[in-house]
Amino acid sequence: MDYKQMEQSLKAASDETRMLILKYLSKEALCICEFTELLDMSQPAISQHMRKLKQAGWICEEKRGRWTIWSLNEKHELFEVLSSLLAMLPEPERTVESLIAEGKKVNCN
């Protein structure tokens, strides 16, 4: 990794919404439709954040039928650093469990 690559990786992770996305993904793999509920944002807005995280190599995608499931890229050179930083953040207010309790959990599988 060179200086430019590290700068791009850190910039991609330095947005509050993207940090929240990374925090959610540190717990489990999720699809965009789940993020729309968790973050109360539109699918296109979330997709833009995912695009930046993917370009920086922080996340991976897996196609399951017509759904894309996102997860953290554990092979990223800074994965351990990211994991340590995410552990310092508080847990998000909304959780997948709260979506299930509210009847808003979308089954994308």
Side-chain angles (χ1 to χ4, degrees):
M1 176 171 283
D2 62 23
Y3 288 102
K4 190 67 174 170
Q5 290 169 320
M6 184 175 286
E7 176 190 24
Q8 291 171 341
S9 290
L10 295 175
K11 276 185 177 179
S14 67
D15 174 85
E16 184 177 358
T17 300
R18 290 193 287 276
M19 281 187 266
L20 193 52
I21 289 170
L22 292 168
K23 182 71 173 182
Y24 279 120
L25 292 176
S26 72
K27 305 294 181 201
E28 65 183 305
L30 298 168
C31 73
I32 295 288
C33 56
E34 290 166 315
F35 281 115
T36 61
E37 293 293 337
L38 289 167
L39 301 173
D40 195 27
M41 293 176 69
S42 69
Q43 182 271 327
I46 294 168
S47 291
Q48 288 301 314
H49 287 293
M50 301 307 265
R51 180 182 57 80
K52 289 179 182 179
L53 290 169
K54 183 180 175 192
Q55 285 175 340
W58 288 123
I59 60 174
C60 301
E61 63 182 320
E62 176 189 342
K63 299 287 186 187
R64 293 186 193 164
R66 62 184 209 140
W67 304 107
T68 301
I69 307 301
W70 296 93
S71 60
L72 286 183
N73 178 7
E74 296 180 8
K75 295 179 182 175
H76 193 284
E77 291 178 89
L78 297 174
F79 177 76
E80 294 301 324
V81 173
L82 177 68
S83 294
S84 296
L85 293 172
L86 292 174
M88 293 179 192
L89 293 172
E91 293 301 316
E93 291 179 24
R94 298 194 77 190
T95 63
V96 172
E97 291 79 21
S98 69
L99 291 180
I100 293 168
E102 296 169 16
K104 294 183 179 178
K105 171 84 166 85
V106 178
N107 186 2
C108 303
N109 298 329

